[in-house]
Every structure is written in C-alpha cells, then in structure tokens.
Amino acid sequence: MRTLKIDGLEVSRLALGGGKMVDIDIERGKSLVNRAIELGINIFDCHHRYGNCEEIVGQFDNIVKMTKISAYKFEERHGLLEASIQKLGKIDILIISDLDNDELYKAGEDMFNEFKEDYRIMGITSEDSTLVHRFMAQHPECKIFMVPLFIGRNDMVGFTKLAQSEGKIVMAIKTLCDRLLLKDYGIKECTDYVKSANPDIIVIGTSDEKHLEEMVSIYKENI
C-alpha cells in the first residue's frame, strides 16, 4: 500500500476509522485491527466516544494512533485527553472534532490553541466547508483536515484541492455517507467519486473484516 509522510511520520493512505466500532467487543476489535495491519494499514482513527476503540488500538505497537476530542466536550477536555493517553499508550496525531457551527468552532479553536504546544501534529474535523476554509486561513499551523467527502459534497472537493495546494493533509471521512448513498448509487460510483477528489488519506469506517478487505481492494491501487 502506498504511504505518505505527515511531518516526518509515515502513514498508509488508507486508515481504519473507529466510528463503526462503537459496539464491538475487545477480541473482535483486535481481530479487525490485526487484519487491517495485514492489509497494509498503519494509521487508526479513534475517539473518546467510539466505545472500546481506544482500548483496542492501544493493545498494538508500531502503528500510528490518532484520536479526537470533541468540541462539544470543552469542559471535559483534560480528563478525556488523559483517558485517551492511558488507553492508547501514546497519541501520534490529535484531532479536535465537530467544529460544525460558530459556537463549536470557537470551542474547538480554543482547544486547538491550548494543545498545539504539546502535540506536533494536530488537525480538525468539520462538516461545514465555510468553517474549514476559515480555520485553514486563521491557523496555518493546522496540518490535517478531516472532512466528509461523498457524492454531493462538491464544496469539500474544492476545499480538498485548495488545502492540498497549501501543503495540508486532507482525510476523507463518511465516503459512503453511512451507506445511505447505496440506496441511489453503487459502490463503484461512490468510490470513483472519492478517487477523483484524490484526498491524501481515506478513512474506512467498518467493523466487518470482509467489508474492510473489499474497500482496501477497491482503493489501494488508486490512491
């Protein structure tokens, strides 16, 4: 699988996301992560609200561990971060998530500013293309932007190209829009759209090993 470097950290261009691992038990989760590693994935996307995800990923060494703290949880940020470190053992990449309106943007911005001295590689997530443009303009030190990239989000395709031109890493999430797109489009049409946008990393959200294998097979030769 192809890789890229984020500030010297070499990562696979496909990541395993933990959003679908909320209800997974530890042993099944370990099997899923192990299979992802066998397939060439070395970066794993966690979150304090993803159930056992951090505990599962924390049991593996020699992988890139990325986790998020939600802007919704501003008052709880220190306790959540400490718990994430305890479970994961380390945090290679810290993402401030859910900057989806002006209030959350302000909370997320404050968290980003507070933690950026301690974490070399940081980023944000947002569903709002206006807000990611604003954050990139106001915080040139932000290295990573995780954005939804699926059929119909041409605004995020435009952002992707601009961000990459400025040396940022764009991670595509929700590429099947939680599979809702499959009611109207096929897998190939959905994945071709994402391939054409050419994000730096595609985050595969799944709790199923067969689905993981299918998505890796579709994407790995084209990204």
Side-chain angles (χ1 to χ4, degrees):
M1 185 179 298
R2 293 169 62 192
T3 62
L4 57 82
K5 287 190 176 180
I6 305 176
D7 202 17
L9 191 66
E10 189 163 352
V11 302
S12 55
R13 294 194 65 190
L14 295 178
L16 178 61
K20 302 299 182 184
M21 297 169 64
V22 172
D23 298 319
I24 201 168
D25 63 58
I26 298 292
E27 290 308 312
R28 184 176 163 211
K30 286 169 60 179
S31 179
L32 179 69
V33 170
N34 190 62
R35 184 64 184 128
I37 293 169
E38 291 173 348
L39 292 168
I41 292 173
N42 80 332
I43 180 169
F44 296 84
D45 171 38
C46 304
H47 200 300
H48 55 77
R49 65 181 179 219
Y50 290 170
N52 293 324
C53 181
E54 289 183 324
E55 186 175 351
I56 292 164
V57 171
Q59 298 188 47
F60 291 83
D61 298 320
N62 302 317
I63 60 174
V64 177
K65 300 176 182 181
M66 176 170 62
T67 199
K68 307 189 193 81
I69 303 178
S70 174
Y72 284 103
K73 298 291 187 178
F74 182 81
E75 298 299 329
E76 302 170 46
R77 63 196 185 281
H78 295 294
L80 290 170
L81 185 56
E82 289 173 7
S84 293
I85 294 170
Q86 184 175 16
K87 292 175 183 177
L88 288 167
K90 65 170 183 173
I91 298 174
D92 297 299
I93 300 172
L94 180 63
I95 305 291
I96 309 300
S97 70
D98 304 311
L99 280 68
D100 295 329
N101 59 41
D102 287 336
E103 181 180 358
L104 291 169
Y105 182 97
K106 180 62 171 64
E109 182 178 46
D110 287 347
M111 292 167 72
F112 181 90
N113 286 331
E114 180 176 1
F115 294 130
K116 67 182 181 182
E117 297 302 320
D118 296 322
Y119 290 90
R120 181 169 56 92
I121 307 176
M122 286 191 65
I124 66 161
T125 74
S126 178
E127 304 256 343
D128 188 315
S129 59
T130 299
L131 294 180
V132 288
H133 278 282
R134 183 194 302 175
F135 201 92
M136 185 168 66
Q138 294 180 339
H139 297 279
E141 70 275 27
C142 184
K143 295 181 171 70
I144 298 172
F145 292 85
M146 298 184 73
V147 297
L149 200 56
F150 53 80
I151 292 174
R153 290 306 305 260
N154 294 337
D155 57 334
M156 287 301 189
V157 175
F159 172 76
T160 296
K161 296 184 184 306
L162 177 62
Q164 289 173 327
S165 74
E166 296 190 12
K168 309 302 181 183
I169 299 295
V170 178
M171 297 185 177
I173 58 175
K174 299 188 176 181
T175 55
L176 298 178
C177 193
D178 292 331
R179 300 199 181 196
L180 293 177
L181 288 174
L182 298 183
K183 294 186 295 184
D184 300 309
Y185 305 96
I187 285 279
K188 186 177 187 304
E189 194 167 0
C190 293
T191 54
D192 282 351
Y193 182 89
V194 177
K195 290 176 189 177
S196 68
N198 194 31
D200 298 285
I201 294 173
I202 296 173
V203 181
I204 300 172
T206 187
S207 61
D208 182 84
E209 291 186 33
K210 294 298 182 184
H211 180 239
L212 173 66
E213 292 166 3
E214 177 186 15
M215 298 307 288
V216 170
S217 176
I218 288 170
Y219 280 129
K220 72 176 182 179
E221 300 302 330
N222 300 92
I223 188 169

